[in-house]
Amino acid sequence: MKLLWFHLMPYTELPDDFKEKHPSVWVDIDSRLFDPVRGHHMYHEFMDELEHAADAGFDAVCVNEHHQNGYGLMPSPNLIAASLARRTRDTAICVMGNSLALYNPPVRVAEELAMLDCISGGRLIAGFPVGTPMDTCYAYGMNPSQLRERYHEAHDLILKAWTEPDPFPWNGRYQQLRYVNPWPRPVQKPHPPVWIPGGGSVETWQWCAERDYVYTYLSYFGYQAGQATMNGFWEEMKRLGKDRNPFRAGFLQFVGVAESREEAMELYREPAEYFYDRCLHVDARYAAPPGYASETTIRKRVRSQVLQAANRASDKAAFGAPSFEEIVAKGYVVVGSPDEVAEQLREVAQSLHVGQLMLLLQYGNMGPDLTRYNTELFARKVAPQLRGLFEDEWENHWWPHPMPADARATPREIAG
Amino acid sequence: MSGPEERSVEVGPPGRRHPRRVWTRGEGEPVGVLAGLLGYPVWPAFLEQLAGGRRVVAPSLPGAPGGGEFRDLDDLPDWVAATLDLLEAAELRGADLVGLGPGGALAAEVAAFAPGFVRRLVLVAPLGLFDEAEPVTDFWARRSSELPGTLSARPEAFAREVLACPEGHDAVEWQLGQVRALEAVARLFWPTCDRGLAKRLHRVRCDTLIVHGSEDRVVPASDAKRFADAIAGRTEVRSLEGAGHRADFDAPAALAEQVLRFLE
């Protein structure tokens, strides 16, 4: 099983009365709450944490893209990934990812990800998210009725740009270019592994199956709520004649490890409550622009009682923060001693049948010391209990193939 | 009310022809009506009132209830062509035309792109302009509980009579119909509703009535004057006291009377 260390980079100093005084953490959040001097320190702490995770032996470090929000300070994950490509050696770099429809032309994504693959020596995982409604339709003004069409066209263009050796014209529905010919090209051939983060739409599952991409379910609501979605995914894979290789699927899980469960409950209460109370305080106005979800998805969501229950759990958490006891009881955050966490995560991986486990070990206002503690304890005492899972039975076809270590460049040390 | 005569017209280029609903009711010279936000899932009181004075012909715009496919329309020329196709199929070339909200913007586009196509024009709370100092409300970014109060001055009645699923209909499909209608408007007008109409209004040469509900919480009152100032033809601006953005729902009889008087 692969263990990926994922940073959302939340703004950690939203005020205590944020939820009462501000309608939304996203889109129209008050910019006066952002202190650039504190931002300077947060970015460095967060990047230290990612580098530390790489040093601690996680298989990959992950970054992602969000706009106009206090939930995640990475409008451009590629900037962070570029630094990680220089400051880490062997860890895979998972950019999870670039919201394809927001780049004009989308060739920009082909270029930047090829740069990252070159700089990192072929360690890149290319995530292709559609993007949240808040990011795409509201912050970036993308048309919700055209978002997915543009996304799919951008995907096709990027893949062709990576793999077609000669310059070619592109006369698409939304993009017209006479000369597509990006320099550089990726190290990995035919291209870096493509992972698709999704929210549970059938069309996305089918598309991942068709293209043989990894589907990752990035849920804030833990494995219990994720079960219905992942069951749906595997049923669809079966229907489409795909094997049950667990490395086809990724899942995101919040984790808090300490020496004992009691200590973990004490340490992770505040950051978890901060996350569910402030980082997820999204105004419902920005949650469902018409056309963002397909009619098939809406019908399925409304008609499926199981999914309805999962949605209710999500809605409740998104728009009325749960208590820490509830957060833990429902498995949104897995907390405990190393053995307890390992046991629960083994259950998560097995019950959801996911081989690419993305871990949030920093969340909410968790500071650098606690993040380091959580990361180190996980790496030393939890990870060894999970490694090897699925690997004797299945091959991970969706992992980067970097250049040999001794063939890769060595960045110079920073002087002084 | 006994309701309109309903037929379906097939319009669009070869290979992409789509059926769209056309309602007809009343006697006399035809007057076309392009519906506002959410369209008309059932024959409404406003059209019934209007049909008391004229032969009302109400074709459904793409994506609105009865309007059929719209996701092959990508930009303004596509939408104007689709609207012209629809109006021609409904035999409304040269007829008077009433457009409400997004239907008003499209009616104005048709009059600008095809002078002579529209005889006289009535725009009720038309979308199509955007002033940063007095912006059109982002009616898409509403919580479901806020939508009635955004669109109507009679929010409770609007929620009950327009939004709620009537008996005998599938509740999921009813709700999807509303989402689809809002998506179709988004497809053309997202995010500001401004597709450059201000640059073309000088080509609207026909007599034009602009009606604005005094309680409209979507389109600013000043837009009525902006339309009137920019349109080359003779213009009249009327306020409809107590009516919200969906003035056709809030004040169907008064609106029909204003329209009929202008078109006399």
Side-chain angles (χ1 to χ4, degrees), chain B residues 4-47:
Chain B
E5 178 194 319
E6 181 173 326
R7 67 190 168 108
S8 178
V9 293
E10 280 235 334
V11 289
R16 289 199 292 113
R17 291 176 71 76
H18 305 301
R20 311 208 194 278
R21 183 189 74 195
V22 178
W23 278 335
T24 307
R25 183 159 164 82
E27 302 294 328
E29 286 286 301
V31 54
V33 178
L34 297 178
L37 287 174
L38 298 173
Y40 292 130
V42 296
W43 179 250
F46 166 60
L47 295 186

Side-chain angles (χ1 to χ4, degrees), chain B residues 145-165:
Chain B
S145 60
E146 295 172 321
L147 196 60
T150 304
L151 298 186
S152 169
R154 299 193 294 132
E156 283 166 19
F158 192 83
R160 195 174 55 243
E161 295 169 32
V162 176
L163 296 177
C165 179

Side-chain angles (χ1 to χ4, degrees), chain A residues 145 173 285 295 299, chain B residues 71 74 146 173 180 187:
Chain A
S145 183
R173 188 169 175 183
R285 286 172 181 166
E295 293 187 12
R299 273 192 197 94
Chain B
R71 293 188 183 97
D74 296 335
E146 295 172 321
E173 293 306 319
R180 191 182 304 128
R187 193 161 178 98

Side-chain angles (χ1 to χ4, degrees), chain A residues 204-226:
Chain A
T204 307
W205 299 339
Q206 292 168 348
W207 191 60
C208 285
E210 183 192 318
R211 307 292 309 214
D212 212 23
Y213 291 160
V214 168
Y215 171 76
T216 61
Y217 183 49
L218 303 185
S219 162
Y220 316 116
F221 304 107
Y223 60 100
Q224 294 173 20

Side-chain angles (χ1 to χ4, degrees), chain A residues 38 43 47 311:
Chain A
R38 287 299 305 133
Y43 277 119
M47 290 161 85
N311 284 339

Side-chain angles (χ1 to χ4, degrees), chain A residues 152-164:
Chain A
H152 283 289
E153 182 178 325
H155 163 272
D156 294 349
L157 172 54
I158 291 163
L159 265 286
K160 189 167 180 185
W162 273 344
T163 52
E164 171 63 50

Side-chain angles (χ1 to χ4, degrees), chain B residues 52-84:
Chain B
R54 291 283 291 269
R55 187 159 71 88
V56 170
V57 181
S60 288
L61 285 167
E69 186 52 49
F70 67 98
R71 293 188 183 97
D72 53 357
L73 306 175
D74 296 335
D75 52 20
L76 181 74
D78 287 353
W79 277 89
V80 172
T83 307
L84 284 166

